[in-house]
Amino acid sequence: MDVTVKFLGAAATVTGSRYLLDIGEFEFLVDCGLFQGRKELRRRNWDKFPMPPTDMEAIVLTHAHMDHIGYLPKLVKDGFSGPIYCTDPTAELAKILLLDSGKLQEEEAEYARKKGFSSHDDPQPLYTVEDAEAVFPLFVPQNFKKPFSIHPSVEVTYYHAGHILGAAIAKVVIKGDTQTKKLVFSGDLGRYHDPILYPPTLIPEADVVWIESTYGDRVAAAIKPEEELARAINDTFDRDGLVIIPAFAVGRTQLVMYYLYQLMKKGKIPSAPIYLDSPMAINVSNLYKDFHQDHQLVAVLDDHVQHPFQHSQLHYYRKQEQSRTLNDLKGRAIIISASGMATGGRVMHHLFHHLPNEKNGVVFVGYQADGTRGRRLVNGEPMVSIYGQQVAVNAKIYSVEGLSAHADQNELMEWAEGFNEKPKLAFVVHGEEESAGILAQKLKNELGWNTVIPNYLESFVLFTGI
Ligand SMILES: [Zn+2]
């Protein structure tokens, strides 16, 4: 048996994770992500898939972020009908996120049609909500740490990767005619001291490793994010102001809710109402209860006790009417809403109404990409455009570091050191050229690893005649 891999994404870039494995009579994909960010990357979402999707027999997912699952509806629309393996929480998260993605694609196509800036006369979405729904029956959810077979010669096991709820490292064991080989896909690795998620599992053995390198060039500052968060909130409350926290619905919102609960409980910030104003974030938070075995909050997630996601000061606002009542809110209160980079969503109308008041504070808790409204606010611009109007930024803008869901360079190395023997080959993936390059060099110098940074659409023969 021969084993080959073709890199259909996450090669010298962070998005579009898709690795096509071929063991001769069986072809399967590990992750099925969307390309995001720069236009030339996003254009790849429209490229013809390098093989007929009908020929591919299975998909193995690591976790539910869009850059790992976001291409699924397109692939299913184009004929893929095999099983999609993932952990139980990943299946549920994926449903929430794919529906949202379908809606966004439809809205973008509609917007392009109205504005007439598309090069097509009739711009079409990459996929629709309906296309996203067609993916759901194909999910075959699996437990962590329990091997399952995807082919008579291929067995997969998921291990906790931290990062986000349900995120997994995938170990793929290929039983050839004469030899057995182990492939390990890191997926995205989380932090080693996350208060909610388990740390990334160390895997003792592998022949070939795929290691992510998002922060391969960065060592996280040794700061306590909860203290920075407390400082921003106390500062704003001292002015009798209102705090707005734009946050991603998945992961970041729950981490913020966790810290706010702890800070109030310990008296480090005054007890004040918290409004979680995002239906998606509410749905995601509820999954932590359904999958309590897959994170560390297990001891406190009980209906009868107060816990970070359920206490007397925490209010879940699902309806639009509820959201609107927050426009008149004044004084000491906290609104958590999406999107995290203030590029859309309900947080826009909170910013629209509350940015002009100098008493208020806006606390960013994640990376703000270039060109986003969040970045302009963090950069201290005095006016921002919202709903086509110029809004004065009189509120104070804060930025809290250290809430990242990604392992830093030290943590990636710590995970790599977990192998008892060095793998024969390691692909350094899911990182911009510079961070992938720096991590690859470090793995080579310090651990003697044989590393490769693959190129987009590059193929490698991993084993022959096994
Ligand atoms: Zn991820």
Side-chain angles (χ1 to χ4, degrees), residues 33-48:
L34 209 59
F35 284 99
Q36 296 167 309
R38 296 194 308 273
K39 199 169 183 181
E40 65 267 28
L41 287 177
R42 281 183 282 129
R43 210 173 280 138
R44 289 182 187 169
N45 293 323
W46 296 87
D47 287 352
K48 196 171 163 359

Side-chain angles (χ1 to χ4, degrees), residues 99-406:
L99 285 179
D100 186 62
S101 177
K103 200 171 124 224
L104 277 175
Q105 305 278 352
E106 286 183 27
E107 284 169 1
E108 272 167 29
E110 182 59 34
Y111 187 71
R113 188 177 302 128
K114 266 196 203 144
K115 295 275 173 181
F117 61 55
S118 170
S119 50
H120 304 276
D121 292 339
D122 184 21
Q124 293 297 316
L126 186 65
Y127 52 81
T128 62
V129 168
E130 208 178 314
D131 297 328
E133 282 167 343
V135 175
F136 302 172
L138 302 179
F139 284 130
V140 185
Q142 300 292 330
N143 291 323
F144 278 97
K145 295 185 236 174
K146 247 190 167 166
F148 57 95
S149 170
I150 66 168
H151 177 269
S153 305
V154 185
E155 194 181 78
V156 179
T157 314
Y158 284 131
Y159 300 93
H160 286 110
H163 189 53
I164 61 168
L165 186 68
I169 295 159
K171 183 173 88 181
V172 177
V173 177
I174 299 174
K175 294 175 198 127
D177 302 322
T178 53
Q179 295 173 55
T180 295
K181 297 291 182 188
K182 294 192 182 85
L183 314 180
V184 172
F185 297 84
S186 73
D188 286 2
L189 299 172
R191 310 296 315 265
Y192 270 89
H193 301 285
D194 190 291
I196 299 179
L197 299 168
Y198 291 118
T201 312
L202 300 179
I203 311 291
E205 279 176 32
D207 293 288
V208 183
V209 170
W210 279 249
I211 182 169
E212 68 118 329
S213 58
T214 316
Y215 288 157
D217 59 342
R218 241 168 293 173
V219 176
I223 42 161
K224 290 198 162 165
E226 64 270 36
E227 287 175 7
E228 283 194 37
L229 192 59
R231 214 170 297 138
I233 290 167
N234 285 326
D235 195 35
T236 306
F237 281 4
D238 284 348
R239 299 189 299 270
D240 271 328
L242 175 76
V243 174
I244 298 170
I245 306 181
F248 298 106
V250 181
R252 203 61 53 95
T253 289
Q254 290 74 29
L255 201 50
V256 167
M257 288 202 297
Y258 172 85
Y259 282 130
L260 291 178
Y261 175 72
Q262 297 296 342
L263 289 170
M264 283 186 191
K265 212 168 84 172
K266 292 177 190 161
K268 297 204 168 159
I269 58 172
S271 188
I274 303 167
Y275 300 93
L276 178 59
D277 184 33
S278 157
M280 199 207 273
I282 295 169
N283 292 340
V284 171
S285 301
N286 288 337
L287 291 183
Y288 283 69
K289 196 162 190 177
D290 299 344
F291 298 107
H292 57 85
Q293 69 280 20
D294 292 323
H295 59 76
Q296 309 188 76
L297 287 181
V298 58
V300 287
L301 284 183
D302 182 298
D303 271 342
H304 306 290
V305 292
Q306 302 247 327
H307 62 73
F309 300 168
Q310 183 181 296
H311 56 93
S312 52
Q313 289 287 25
L314 181 61
H315 309 281
Y316 283 179
Y317 274 17
R318 201 180 272 280
K319 298 198 183 94
Q320 196 78 52
E321 305 90 84
Q322 292 175 305
S323 178
R324 266 198 296 270
T325 63
L326 298 175
N327 293 343
D328 304 321
L329 198 62
K330 282 195 178 58
R332 298 175 170 201
I334 299 167
I335 299 172
I336 308 172
S337 191
S339 75
M341 297 191 201
T343 48
R346 285 187 182 179
V347 79
M348 296 316 303
H349 79 92
H350 301 310
L351 292 174
F352 184 83
H353 286 97
H354 298 297
L355 273 177
N357 186 337
E358 72 278 1
K359 288 183 178 172
N360 297 334
V362 180
V363 185
F364 286 96
V365 289
Y367 175 73
Q368 301 300 310
D370 249 343
T372 60
R373 203 176 277 100
R375 172 62 77 90
R376 285 199 286 280
L377 286 167
V378 169
N379 283 350
E381 291 195 16
M383 303 284 272
V384 286
S385 162
I386 300 175
Y387 304 139
Q389 289 185 48
Q390 287 297 312
V391 177
V393 184
N394 298 325
K396 195 162 172 197
I397 310 296
Y398 304 86
S399 193
V400 172
E401 311 272 324
L403 290 166
S404 165
H406 276 280

